[in-house]
Amino acid sequence: MKNVTLNNGVEMPILGFGVYQIPADQTEQAVSEALAAGYRSLDTAAAYQNEEAVGRAIRNSGIARDELFITTKLWVQDAGEDATKRAFDSSLKRLGLDHVDLYLMHQPYGDVYSQWRAMQDLNAAGLVRAIGVSNFHSDRLVDLITHNDITPAVNQIETHPFHQRAEENEYMRGHGVQHESWGPFAEGKNNLFSDPTLTAVAGVHGKSEAQVVLRWLIQRDVVVIPKSVRPDRMAENLDVFNFELTDEQMKLIAALDTETSLFFDHRDPKMVSFLGQRRVD
Ligand code: NAP
């Protein structure tokens, strides 16, 4: 597995396993199968409501803690430094761990400054090896960097062939923030798995469209965390380190960019209000 080195020296696998939308009662099995397939980096969140199941799978795997890279995320409602620390403690208990490797602020909404101060404290206390953010547009990211001590190690944002985030990628690179993709397959939207360009490139390498997408992201130095509940696809999505896309193929895929979200814009006032009001137990 290839690693990236975050801005504080922590090493993170460039490919991991995401568990968004896996129901809690299926998550333990999916994560157990992912660990058996060879994944060592897991991405969950308080808002996914499956941290306990992720924790059970980790414990049952028998894999040494220092071989794993565990990410979880703080939800918007936990505003204020004390509430942030309580929310982190709850995530830690649900996961059954004594630290996490990466703690992300899930959304750029609410009292982000006190959340970030508390996350800096958690980092200083050794409870979190690295801290970062998610769904931050570049303006919000630069604002957070400018007014705080610690620069986020990671920004996890929607990134796939139809929304490539080239400008954000450059900004993040310039500020030492690791770009991490969520939704690398756009959850299959826009017929990603039968896109003619991806199919043509996949055919040249004897690979699948999914593998080409992951390879394309990895060659852009973007961390990927594809989700699947199927062991065959888990294995397929890991098998992307034995071929290389040419510059020409990278350009063909670059041409698929629509520079538009296939989900929603994090600056849409309706979504800011909707997500800001969502409560997570
Ligand atoms: P995704 O990984 O783009 O797509 C998952 C979908 O693709 C599932 O329907 C899966 O179906 C299918 N799939 C997976 N591998 C495949 C393959 N090789 N061939 C064909 N189909 C395949 O979507 P995502 O889960 O939204 O994103 C990945 C992770 O990013 C999440 O799990 C989560 O950890 C993170 N995320 C974060 C945020 C955020 O706001 N920070 C938002 C969304 C997601 P099966 O499961 O049936 O195989």
Side-chain angles (χ1 to χ4, degrees), residues 18-21 43 48 73 106-107 134-135 156 181-188 193 210 225-230 233 236-237:
V19 300
Y20 177 47
Q21 288 172 325
D43 181 90
Y48 301 169
K73 312 187 192 81
H106 205 145
Q107 304 288 353
S134 180
N135 298 309
Q156 184 185 110
S181 151
W182 67 249
F185 307 137
E187 296 180 5
F193 296 114
I225 43 167
K227 169 262 175 189
S228 177
V229 292
R230 289 178 37 171
R233 289 177 175 171
E236 176 184 329
N237 296 344

Side-chain angles (χ1 to χ4, degrees), residues 29 63 117 179 188 226 230:
Q29 182 178 344
I63 297 169
R117 280 194 294 275
H179 184 170
R230 289 178 37 171

Side-chain angles (χ1 to χ4, degrees), residues 48-111:
Y48 301 169
Q49 300 188 299
N50 55 16
E51 288 171 310
E52 284 183 3
V54 170
R56 282 197 300 277
I58 292 171
R59 279 193 298 288
N60 294 340
S61 74
I63 297 169
R65 177 66 184 90
D66 63 2
E67 286 178 30
L68 295 169
F69 190 96
I70 309 300
T71 300
T72 193
K73 312 187 192 81
L74 170 70
W75 189 245
V76 186
Q77 72 196 14
D78 298 302
E81 293 180 44
D82 290 345
T84 298
K85 289 177 184 172
R86 279 197 299 275
F88 174 75
D89 196 47
S90 298
S91 280
L92 214 52
K93 285 202 174 83
R94 285 192 292 265
L95 286 161
L97 298 176
D98 63 3
H99 72 281
V100 299
D101 297 280
L102 178 62
Y103 197 41
L104 300 180
M105 189 187 301
H106 205 145
Q107 304 288 353
Y109 308 141
D111 195 357

